[in-house]
């Protein structure tokens, strides 16, 4: 207990110093400034020691984080990472901006219970959005039909269609699970719409999707009864199952917006982001984005707060490289189109294990594979190899415009042993004339701030600063001064012209393997 109190005080002192403000730091957020998967879990875990409330407010079970329960690593998708923390009255919240697939929630609650852990510290927003079976079918069928050039590479969890229905005023919310008649009425509307969209699709493909385990092995599938029968879902089966889920989730459902607003300023609140700014539906590389707002402002809104309620915003980037899962522009991708094709096609972790690769390989694709293996860069939700690229400052500058005052650098140890590090400081535009508002892009134009439209990014050639890497193993270092000189010089040049400075450097997965600046 005393140790926890000391840690909490130390973290409070650090946050206070980092915020450089006279206001006491009570609410902080941690979001990713790239395309997700930046190792946020470690910091959420660290700050969870300090927090009274840990809340996520965006996305759904498309996210993935590894949590150690009773010494075993478990991947969670929906429940916030703080759930396993020493309780002490700590509350974990799935906020109103999130989308909830009840099956995933119940599976995760059951998994924790089977490990002997209670979840009595969990709260689910009554106005979080519901993912219905039709959303998952629509997501998967759309991707399957799209053809290579138009695929987004979604996680197939129904995230986009669930948010679309909500915005289109056909959506359901968690609270509807508790009121069966209302649930049925609203479901009818959503299913009618989905049936219309699916009418043009191949029934066999829909059937196959619906027999997936994630969709409860065909439980909701409506067998065609006559030739023009364009119903695909057994509504009553959905009602029955979702109402059952509602009963199981009932103890956790509450008005979390109200709770968080009332706690803001008097309790320590940690807001846990999901995905990353460049996947934000408004500010990312649209349409190659997820369907929520992944920036600090989006996260604050997703738990019922205003951006100005957050006293300190941390943005996470990987230590001098980055990754992207799925399709979409990625100018600094190591190995370019070959890497993209591999990661979005047949490439797999098991095949990569057998490959002879080196992180100094002259073949860029192989160099990328080696860095991916070093960093364990495989999707926690889908297992897909993550595309690996050099740090892209034009994209980072753009992300920083949407918030995050202090930077956390993770996984810096992954690049140890790479002889030459590339950092993209600007792009050279190499495409046809293009109007971006009143700015005319012409061949040869240099851009220091990314224009995140895919039709522009695909013509952006990265211009690199190269700096010699470091051979020393930096794993576990806790003092900035102990870092190799090449690395310190590299960091100084990277951060010279950015609007935010690093506050924390992670030199390994363990909590102790951290440098506080
Ligand atoms: P969706 O969120 O499943 O609709 O997927 C849209 C895009 O966001 C795809 O490119 C996904 O790979 C990406 N995405 C969604 N969740 C994550 C995540 O947690 N990490 C990284 N990428 C993600």
């Amino acid at each position: 207990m005393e140790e926890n109190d000391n840690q909490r005080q130390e973290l409070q002192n650090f946050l206070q110093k980092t915020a450089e403000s006279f206001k006491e730091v009570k609410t902080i957020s941690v979001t990713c400034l790239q395309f997700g998967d930046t190792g946020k879990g470690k910091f959420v875990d660290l700050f969870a020691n300090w927090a009274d409330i840990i809340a996520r407010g965006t996305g759904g079970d498309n996210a993935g984080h590894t949590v150690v329960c009773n010494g075993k690593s478990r991947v969670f998708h929906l429940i916030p990472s703080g759930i396993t923390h020493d309780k002490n009255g700590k509350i974990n919240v799935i906020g109103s901006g999130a989308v909830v697939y009840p099956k995933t929630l119940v599976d995760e609650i059951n998994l924790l219970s089977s490990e002997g852990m209670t979840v009595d510290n969990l709260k689910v927003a009554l106005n979080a959005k519901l993912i219905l079976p039709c959303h998952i079918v629509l997501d998967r069928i759309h991707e399957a039909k799209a053809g290579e050039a138009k695929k987004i590479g979604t996680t197939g969890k129904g995230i986009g269609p669930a948010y679309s229905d909500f915005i289109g005023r056909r959506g359901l919310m968690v609270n509807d699970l508790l009121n069966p008649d209302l649930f049925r009425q609203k479901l009818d509307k959503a299913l009618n719409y989905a049936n219309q969209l699916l009418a043009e699709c191949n029934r066999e493909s829909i059937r196959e999707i619906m027999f997936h385990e994630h969709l409860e092995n065909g439980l909701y599938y409506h067998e065609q009864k006559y030739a023009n029968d364009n119903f695909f879902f057994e509504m009553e089966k959905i009602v029955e199952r979702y109402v059952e889920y509602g009963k199981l989730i009932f103890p956790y459902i509450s008005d979390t917006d109200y709770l968080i607003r009332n706690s803001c300023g008097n309790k320590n609140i940690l807001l846990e982001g999901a995905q990353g700014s460049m996947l934000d539906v408004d500010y990312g590389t649209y349409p190659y984005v997820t369907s929520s707002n992944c920036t600090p402002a989006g996260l604050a809104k997703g738990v019922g707060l205003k951006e100005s309620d957050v006293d300190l915003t941390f943005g996470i980037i990987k230590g001098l490289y980055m990754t992207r899962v799925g399709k979409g522009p990625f100018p600094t991708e190591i190995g370019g189109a070959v890497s993209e094709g591999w990661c979005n096609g047949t490439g797999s972790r098991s095949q990569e294990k057998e490959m002879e690769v080196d992180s100094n390989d002259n073949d860029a694709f192989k160099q990328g594979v080696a860095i991916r293996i070093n960093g364990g860069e495989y999707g926690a939700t889908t297992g897909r190899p993550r595309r690996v690229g050099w740090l892209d400052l034009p994209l980072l500058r753009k992300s920083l415009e949407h918030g995050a005052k202090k930077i956390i650098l993770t996984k810096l140890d992954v690049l140890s042993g790479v002889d030459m590090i590339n950092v993209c400081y600007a792009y050279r535009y190499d495409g046809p004339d293009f109007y971006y508002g009143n700015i005319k892009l012409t061949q040869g134009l240099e851009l220091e701030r990314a224009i995140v439209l895919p039709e522009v990014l695909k013509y952006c050639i990265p211009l690199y600063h190269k700096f010699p890497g470091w051979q020393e193993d930096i794993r576990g270092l806790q003092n900035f001064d102990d870092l190799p000189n090449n690395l310190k010089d590299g960091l100084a040049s990277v951060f010279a012209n950015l609007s935010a400075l690093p506050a924390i450097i992670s030199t390994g997965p363990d909590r102790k393997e951290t440098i506080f600046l």
Side-chain angles (χ1 to χ4, degrees):
M1 185 60 167
E2 207 170 282
E3 195 191 335
N4 281 347
D5 286 347
N6 287 343
Q7 269 187 19
R8 195 172 147 108
Q9 190 54 52
E10 264 173 35
L11 282 165
Q12 181 65 41
N13 295 345
F14 165 74
L15 294 173
Q16 213 58 51
K17 184 185 99 187
T18 307
E20 292 160 1
S21 127
F22 297 111
K23 196 172 149 198
E24 196 185 356
V25 175
K26 298 298 276 179
T27 302
I28 65 173
S29 69
V30 180
T31 54
C32 161
L33 296 170
Q34 296 171 328
F35 295 103
D37 309 315
T38 32
K40 185 170 31 63
K42 165 171 163 175
F43 293 94
V44 172
D45 186 52
L46 183 81
F47 291 132
N49 280 336
W50 161 89
D52 303 307
I53 299 178
I54 301 138
R56 59 173 295 192
T58 53
D61 54 354
N62 48 350
H65 45 262
T66 306
V67 172
V68 179
C69 313
N70 293 338
K72 287 182 228 150
S73 273
R74 300 288 198 192
V75 178
F76 286 87
H77 301 284
L78 202 48
I79 289 186
S81 327
I83 197 80
T84 53
H85 258 264
D86 169 28
K87 303 248 173 71
N88 248 341
K90 273 186 213 306
I91 295 173
N92 280 266
V93 173
I94 298 174
S96 52
V99 279
V100 173
Y101 186 44
K103 176 182 186 301
T104 304
L105 183 56
V106 169
D107 285 350
E108 293 189 356
I109 291 173
N110 288 343
L111 178 63
L112 285 161
S113 306
S114 70
E115 296 290 344
M117 304 171 87
T118 57
V119 276
D120 49 9
N121 55 339
L122 176 68
K123 293 201 183 291
V124 182
L126 51 80
N127 49 346
K129 288 91 187 123
L130 269 190
I131 297 183
L132 299 170
C134 55
H135 297 140
I136 299 169
V137 176
L138 285 167
D139 191 1
R140 292 184 182 209
I141 200 94
H142 183 263
E143 283 284 291
K145 267 184 27 177
E148 235 10 75
K150 291 199 172 145
K151 276 192 179 36
I152 303 292
T154 70
T155 58
K157 298 294 179 88
I159 308 296
Y163 278 116
S164 306
D165 263 1
F166 209 82
I167 300 282
R169 294 171 295 224
R170 294 173 300 276
L172 280 77
M173 55 178 82
V174 166
N175 198 61
D176 294 326
L177 295 171
L178 308 180
N179 300 288
D181 291 341
L182 185 64
F183 179 83
R184 185 180 286 103
Q185 271 173 37
K186 292 189 177 184
L187 178 68
D188 189 33
K189 194 168 167 191
L191 290 184
N192 271 329
Y193 186 73
N195 280 325
Q196 280 172 41
L197 296 179
L198 290 171
E200 300 298 311
C201 303
N202 177 294
R203 182 170 269 273
E204 205 31 57
S205 312
I206 295 172
R207 190 175 190 283
E208 201 177 305
I209 292 171
M210 289 185 74
F211 273 80
H212 193 280
E213 191 248 316
H214 194 57
L215 277 162
E216 318 230 19
N217 310 305
L219 177 70
Y220 307 123
Y221 183 65
H222 167 82
E223 286 293 350
Q224 194 171 28
K225 299 207 170 96
Y226 48 91
N228 292 334
D229 174 357
N230 274 339
F231 296 112
F232 299 93
F233 303 93
E234 286 294 349
M235 185 164 90
E236 285 310 317
K237 285 272 190 284
I238 303 178
V239 175
E240 203 179 296
R241 189 60 141 220
Y242 271 57
V243 168
E244 250 172 57
Y245 283 137
K247 288 185 184 145
L248 297 170
I249 303 169
F250 176 69
Y252 313 107
I253 301 177
S254 64
D255 186 350
T256 62
D257 285 350
Y258 183 74
L259 167 89
I260 293 185
R261 265 183 226 131
N262 276 322
S263 308
C264 185
N266 49 63
K267 294 254 175 23
N268 290 351
I269 303 178
L270 165 62
L271 306 185
E272 174 183 354
Q275 289 81 43
S277 310
M278 283 298 111
L279 289 173
D280 182 284
V281 67
D282 288 315
Y283 304 123
T285 56
Y286 187 88
Y288 299 97
V289 291
T290 189
S291 299
S292 60
N293 286 115
C294 320
T295 51
L299 175 56
K301 178 169 174 286
V303 297
L305 294 179
K306 305 185 291 298
E307 191 179 6
S308 56
D309 290 328
V310 185
D311 305 314
L312 182 54
T313 48
F314 286 105
I316 306 203
I317 61 172
K318 275 178 181 155
L320 309 187
Y321 73 106
M322 53 201 284
T323 59
R324 170 162 209 161
V325 191
K327 308 278 271 187
F330 191 1
T332 61
E333 181 162 13
I334 305 175
V338 181
S339 160
E340 180 181 3
W342 169 261
C343 294
N344 285 324
T346 54
S348 69
R349 185 174 208 158
S350 53
Q351 279 168 291
E352 293 194 346
K353 264 196 201 150
E354 306 296 317
M355 287 164 78
E356 276 194 23
V357 291
D358 184 312
S359 55
N360 290 308
D361 213 301
N362 286 330
D363 176 330
F365 168 67
K366 288 189 180 168
Q367 181 181 32
V369 174
I371 295 175
R372 177 158 52 247
I373 294 173
N374 278 353
E377 298 292 0
Y378 300 89
T381 299
T382 58
R384 291 180 285 184
R386 296 176 182 147
R387 301 157 65 192
V388 172
W390 299 111
L391 178 60
D392 181 328
L393 294 179
L395 277 184
L396 181 56
R397 288 186 191 107
K398 185 79 189 167
S399 280
L400 285 169
E401 289 168 14
H402 303 299
K405 290 281 181 290
K406 295 287 169 180
I407 292 182
I408 300 177
L409 268 165
T410 59
K411 302 187 88 164
L412 209 56
D413 52 313
V414 171
L415 293 193
S416 296
V418 177
D419 292 340
M420 196 56 78
I421 310 278
N422 292 327
V423 174
C424 167
Y425 64 92
Y427 303 139
R428 199 187 66 240
Y429 180 71
D430 202 27
D433 289 358
F434 184 89
Y435 280 98
Y436 182 65
N438 60 5
I439 302 170
K440 184 175 176 186
L441 306 185
T442 51
Q443 271 201 9
L445 190 74
E446 271 195 30
L447 296 166
E448 286 202 344
R449 175 177 169 262
I451 291 171
V452 293
L453 302 174
E455 46 278 28
V456 171
L457 282 176
K458 75 174 175 191
Y459 293 116
C460 286
I461 314 286
L463 303 175
Y464 290 114
H465 275 312
K466 292 181 182 291
F467 72 87
W470 58 96
Q471 301 304 319
E472 298 87 333
D473 183 6
I474 59 164
R475 175 83 189 256
L477 292 183
Q478 295 178 357
N479 291 310
F480 185 78
D481 290 344
D482 296 338
L483 292 175
N485 287 335
N486 283 356
L487 174 52
K488 283 193 280 200
D489 294 348
L491 291 176
S493 81
V494 164
F495 290 101
N497 291 314
L498 289 181
S499 60
L501 287 175
I504 303 179
I505 295 176
S506 173
T507 55
D510 197 85
R511 263 192 228 173
K512 289 196 215 86
E513 297 172 326
T514 306
I515 300 173
F516 290 96
L517 298 169

